[in-house]
Amino acid sequence: MPRQLQTDRWMFGSTLALCLVGAIMVFSASAVTARDQYGNGSHFLLRQLLWLAIGLGGMMAVMNLDYRKLRRPEFIFTALFGVLIMLAGVFILDKSHATHRWIRLGPGQPATLGTRQAGRDFLSCVVSRNAPPP
């Protein structure tokens, strides 16, 4: 009978602690600016906590996903195609921040977000296929 996999509690706890410390640092660095611009000193903290909750929800979903499904070429090439669509779509959309690098759907640049994720997916697929058997 196969062994039941368990979550690495230390890794989860350290990730959560780093995220919370980062949110506190965002608050300490931006409270005055947020109060002046938005009338609420915790405006950026609330946004950071919202994205933190979305990220933790995604992490919980991926923790329960069988990682072997992510190694299939259909997933890898679909992710790469999605990145190419985002990169091409940037030039069709209006300028933001005086440049075409941004999409106004959330934080981050699609070139940065997409290529990092697709690169990780592609490299992990290549490395896992070339790894010696256990």
Side-chain angles (χ1 to χ4, degrees):
M1 173 176 261
R3 186 180 77 179
Q4 183 69 21
L5 296 178
Q6 296 179 354
T7 304
D8 187 357
R9 291 186 180 147
W10 283 102
M11 180 70 76
F12 179 75
S14 62
T15 301
L16 188 61
L18 284 171
C19 289
L20 292 175
V21 167
I24 291 170
M25 292 177 76
V26 165
F27 175 69
S28 68
S30 64
V32 175
T33 303
R35 188 185 65 224
D36 292 343
Q37 290 181 357
Y38 300 101
N40 182 5
S42 61
H43 175 77
F44 293 116
L45 174 66
L46 295 175
R47 287 186 60 185
Q48 184 75 12
L49 290 175
L50 172 71
W51 284 106
L52 176 63
I54 291 170
L56 286 174
M59 183 180 72
M60 292 294 185
V62 171
M63 281 173 53
N64 295 319
L65 183 70
D66 184 15
Y67 70 92
R68 289 180 287 268
K69 291 181 181 179
L70 302 178
R71 294 191 319 185
R72 295 184 1 218
E74 298 88 15
F75 176 79
I76 300 297
F77 290 118
T78 303
L80 288 173
F81 182 71
V83 169
L84 288 175
I85 293 297
M86 282 195 328
L87 291 174
V90 167
F91 295 108
I92 297 169
L93 299 172
D94 293 334
K95 283 186 177 182
S96 176
H97 299 88
T99 184
H100 278 286
R101 291 185 306 230
W102 293 80
I103 293 178
R104 297 181 187 196
L105 297 176
Q109 299 177 10
T112 303
L113 297 173
T115 53
R116 283 182 186 169
Q117 185 62 43
R120 280 191 299 259
D121 292 344
F122 180 74
L123 287 175
S124 64
C125 180
V126 169
V127 168
S128 68
R129 289 183 192 277
N130 294 332

